């Protein structure tokens, strides 16, 4: 899950403990989010920083449910085409789990063969949610020690 730390950081999640991951407004990212299950591990990835990369982990603690911000005209995530009967956008709640001793930078991810075909390392990737394999998860945690 990618986030901009000046908007919402891993530290913000740590302080709150648990938070709805709201504001996903890309259909492909939404579909990935809908595939998440309770207990799934999540890397928190900081973007729009000098050295973008993975900074910690969280865990999915709910299945997907309608994102209430899509119905709120005062929200920056409001979607007039969405309705209570047919919501377009979902979210999951995530809980903080761990902060890496030091960020695992994008350039280091690109060097791992396990990520060669991952959308995460493709130039121009704008998706805020990207699935990873168990092998990729294990490799990052192993390398981050």
């Amino acid at each position: 899950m990618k986030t901009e730390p000046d908007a919402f950081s891993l530290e913000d999640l740590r302080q709150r403990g648990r938070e709805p991951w709201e504001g996903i407004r890309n259909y492909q990212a939404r579909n990935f989010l809908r595939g998440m299950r309770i207990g799934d591990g999540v890397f928190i990835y900081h973007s729009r920083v000098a050295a973008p990369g993975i900074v910690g982990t969280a865990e999915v603690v709910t299945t997907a449910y309608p994102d209430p911000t899509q119905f709120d005209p005062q929200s920056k995530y409001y979607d007039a085409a969405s309705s209570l009967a047919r919501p377009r956008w979902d979210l999951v709640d995530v809980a903080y789990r761990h902060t890496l001793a030091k960020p695992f930078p994008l350039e280091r991810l690109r060097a791992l063969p396990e990520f060669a075909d991952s959308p995460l390392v493709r130039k121009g990737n704008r998706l805020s949610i990207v699935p990873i394999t168990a092998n990729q998860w294990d490799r990052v945690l192993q390398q981050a020690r």
Side-chain angles (χ1 to χ4, degrees):
M1 295 180 136
K2 186 174 5 177
T3 185
E4 297 168 11
D6 61 341
F8 189 81
S9 68
L10 178 66
E11 179 59 20
D12 294 325
L13 181 59
R14 187 191 68 74
Q15 289 177 8
R16 295 179 189 180
R18 172 184 175 150
E19 190 72 11
W21 205 263
E22 66 187 17
I24 303 305
R25 296 299 184 267
N26 173 285
Y27 289 106
Q28 187 176 11
R30 180 211 55 197
N31 292 342
F32 290 147
L33 186 144
R34 286 179 173 174
M36 293 179 169
R37 300 292 172 248
I38 294 171
D40 282 352
V42 175
F43 284 131
I44 303 298
Y45 180 97
H46 282 176
S47 64
R48 295 194 188 200
V49 293
I54 297 168
V55 294
T57 65
E59 181 178 327
V60 176
V61 294
T62 67
T63 56
Y65 63 94
D67 181 341
T69 63
Q70 68 192 308
F71 310 120
D72 180 1
Q74 304 304 312
S75 172
K76 67 181 179 179
Y77 301 121
Y78 176 64
D79 183 344
S82 193
S83 69
L84 289 172
R86 292 185 59 104
R88 286 184 178 191
W89 309 109
D90 289 342
L91 58 75
V92 296
D93 290 2
V94 296
Y96 170 84
R97 289 297 174 251
H98 177 73
T99 300
L100 298 181
K102 59 184 178 178
F104 199 96
L106 175 59
E107 291 309 314
R108 197 163 165 204
L109 284 170
R110 284 189 173 130
L112 296 175
E114 293 86 352
F115 283 85
D117 295 325
S118 173
L120 180 61
V121 300
R122 283 190 207 125
K123 293 205 184 286
N125 173 44
R126 305 272 308 146
L127 291 177
S128 58
I129 297 175
V130 176
I132 61 168
T133 66
N135 190 35
Q136 291 168 327
W137 175 268
D138 292 342
R139 179 69 168 193
V140 169
L141 291 181
Q142 181 184 67
Q143 294 283 313
R145 291 184 190 152

